[in-house]
Amino acid sequence: MIRRLGYHWHLRRIMAAHNIWKTTELIPLLRERGINLSTAQVYRLVTDRPERLSLPVLAALCDILDCSPADLIEPYVEADRRKRTAGEAAVIEINSDFRPERARIIED
């Protein structure tokens, strides 16, 4: 069985807790720490769940927001969505009153 992990990205919530409401307010704070991201990159970082995140950016965010990486990233186990195999198929009760009719073969 494959265990799939997902994560929640809480950057926007933590920014709001520090009264940082606009993504453009984050750009100069990142630049002070040597992180030069475009307006679009910062917007995607805040509004979307990042697939890749460099450690210097993560460290800068933690420094700016006075938090830990665990505050920004909350992992969870995704529900098992795989198809069942024949051995794992659900058992179906068969009604004993139901019997198919025997087929008749008619010769030409």
Side-chain angles (χ1 to χ4, degrees):
M1 181 163 115
I2 297 173
R3 185 178 169 132
R4 297 185 144 267
L5 298 176
Y7 60 93
H8 297 290
W9 180 240
H10 297 295
L11 179 58
R12 184 179 284 277
R13 182 177 53 82
I14 294 173
M15 284 174 57
H18 287 82
N19 289 324
I20 301 173
W21 301 102
K22 298 179 182 178
T23 58
T24 54
E25 295 177 52
L26 197 56
I27 294 171
L29 298 172
L30 287 168
R31 284 204 178 117
E32 288 174 6
R33 289 156 180 85
I35 306 297
N36 294 311
L37 298 176
S38 70
T39 307
Q41 288 172 318
V42 174
Y43 178 80
R44 283 194 309 269
L45 183 66
V46 173
T47 59
D48 295 336
R49 188 177 80 167
E51 292 296 320
R52 292 174 201 83
L53 183 65
S54 70
L55 289 178
V57 173
L58 181 62
L61 290 172
C62 289
D63 184 52
I64 292 166
L65 301 170
D66 192 31
C67 65
S68 70
D71 296 328
L72 290 171
I73 304 165
E74 177 189 350
Y76 64 90
V77 177
E78 290 183 354
D80 188 13
R81 295 181 295 183
R82 64 187 174 92
K83 292 183 179 179
R84 292 181 179 170
T85 61
E88 298 173 333
V91 176
I92 300 172
E93 270 189 48
I94 298 175
N95 187 352
S96 60
D97 296 337
F98 176 74
R99 290 188 50 103
E101 271 188 44
R102 186 176 183 129
R104 293 183 326 170
I105 300 174
I106 301 174
E107 293 185 26
D108 290 339

